[in-house]
Amino acid sequence: MAEVTDSKELPLHKGDYRPAGPDDLRAPCPVLNSLANHGIIARNGRNITAAELKAALRYLGMGIDVIAILVNGAFQVHSDDPKKMARLGLRDNDQVNEDGVPVLNLDQVGRPHAVEHDVSVTRQDRALGDCMHVNPDLMERFLAAPKTEKGFSASDFGKYRKTRFDEQKRDNPALEFDRMNHFSGCAELGAVQCIFGRGFPYRVPEEYIEALFGEERLPIEEGWKPRRLPLLLPELGPVILRISYFAWPF
């Protein structure tokens, strides 16, 4: 069934790619933005339920344990107190849709003292500029980072994260980056490695990175397909630790 669109536009179907419009909300996460740009979650980035987000992550190939950690954490109520344990929480108190179901907007992923962090591979630090949208210069440098002939390995990702940390430590006097932020950044690239990597060990092709991070588009045209076997923590964990080993800044 076609989605409802402006009468002057061709009808969009779930899975069709359309870049975000000026009134659409987006996150600092290229994967979430890609899911919205394909209509797998709400294209306008508003009022996304936990059930809808879980279904979208299952489509990518994430397993039930990974999904539970991400979604259950994100749907907690946000607190600006960085000392509180519930740092994944993104929702406002009593933020629900017309049916009383808890919902989340994509721009809330960028809230401070939650999952968004300094030392992004494609975004500026909050104190230095726009932490929500891709920075063209950082994107270009990410694509040019050292990698294998078949694409980015886990060690390639880790070494580039270390490079970015060293740069931001030098350039950002207000840098906020603790061990939780470090492992969060490594987990983000670890999920990219396992979901979008090809072969074994996984290598993420440069053209996949360009589509996903640069255009916020799932690299379907480049040959990517969702995983057949769900990505579970026993598989993801060692990849995160390998990235962390090469990225360790402390």
Side-chain angles (χ1 to χ4, degrees), residues 28-31 33-34 120-124 130 132-147 152 157 160 164 167-168 189 192 204-217:
C29 173
V31 175
N33 293 345
S34 297
S120 166
V121 292
T122 59
R123 268 75 170 167
Q124 283 284 8
D130 184 357
M132 294 291 287
H133 301 93
V134 63
N135 179 284
D137 291 336
L138 289 177
M139 184 68 230
E140 184 176 346
R141 290 184 50 222
F142 186 23
L143 291 173
K147 61 185 96 43
F152 290 88
F157 277 151
Y160 190 63
R164 289 287 298 128
E167 292 170 349
Q168 299 313 99
L189 286 179
V192 169
V204 184
E206 181 179 327
E207 59 266 29
Y208 284 19
I209 294 292
E210 186 170 9
L212 190 65
F213 285 80
E215 300 178 46
E216 297 189 329
R217 172 177 63 81

Side-chain angles (χ1 to χ4, degrees), residues 36-228:
N37 290 342
H38 283 275
I40 297 170
I41 55 177
R43 290 187 186 271
N44 64 9
R46 292 175 168 83
N47 296 326
I48 299 165
T49 66
E52 290 167 343
L53 184 54
K54 287 178 179 179
L57 297 179
R58 282 197 300 271
Y59 163 78
L60 292 178
M62 291 189 181
I64 188 171
D65 52 358
V66 178
I67 290 173
I69 291 171
L70 295 175
V71 178
N72 294 346
F75 272 76
Q76 294 179 38
V77 173
H78 177 71
S79 171
D80 279 317
D81 183 354
K83 296 180 181 179
K84 288 195 173 183
M85 293 299 293
R87 289 180 63 177
L88 289 177
L90 300 174
R91 292 177 52 248
D92 291 330
N93 193 29
D94 298 327
Q95 184 179 353
V96 296
N97 62 16
E98 58 186 10
D99 297 319
V101 178
V103 292
L104 184 66
N105 298 329
L106 283 185
D107 63 333
Q108 292 174 293
V109 178
R111 304 186 91 154
H113 309 133
V115 293
E116 195 276 328
H117 55 81
D118 284 346
V119 192
S120 166
V121 292
T122 59
R123 268 75 170 167
Q124 283 284 8
D125 288 355
R126 185 181 298 275
L128 299 183
D130 184 357
C131 66
M132 294 291 287
H133 301 93
V134 63
N135 179 284
D137 291 336
L138 289 177
M139 184 68 230
E140 184 176 346
R141 290 184 50 222
F142 186 23
L143 291 173
K147 61 185 96 43
T148 72
E149 290 183 359
K150 295 183 179 180
F152 290 88
S153 67
S155 60
D156 295 329
F157 277 151
K159 291 173 184 177
Y160 190 63
R161 280 211 57 81
K162 180 62 167 61
T163 297
R164 289 287 298 128
F165 173 81
D166 292 341
E167 292 170 349
Q168 299 313 99
K169 185 177 181 180
R170 178 194 66 204
D171 297 338
N172 183 5
L175 181 69
E176 294 184 8
F177 197 74
D178 59 15
R179 283 171 171 75
M180 180 175 178
N181 297 143
H182 165 76
F183 282 110
S184 178
C186 293
E188 292 159 4
L189 286 179
V192 169
Q193 189 81 33
C194 294
I195 294 293
F196 296 96
R198 294 197 305 202
F200 190 82
Y202 299 127
R203 300 287 185 269
V204 184
E206 181 179 327
E207 59 266 29
Y208 284 19
I209 294 292
E210 186 170 9
L212 190 65
F213 285 80
E215 300 178 46
E216 297 189 329
R217 172 177 63 81
L218 297 176
I220 298 169
E221 295 179 6
E222 290 76 11
W224 174 79
K225 295 180 181 178
R227 289 175 54 115
R228 293 182 179 179

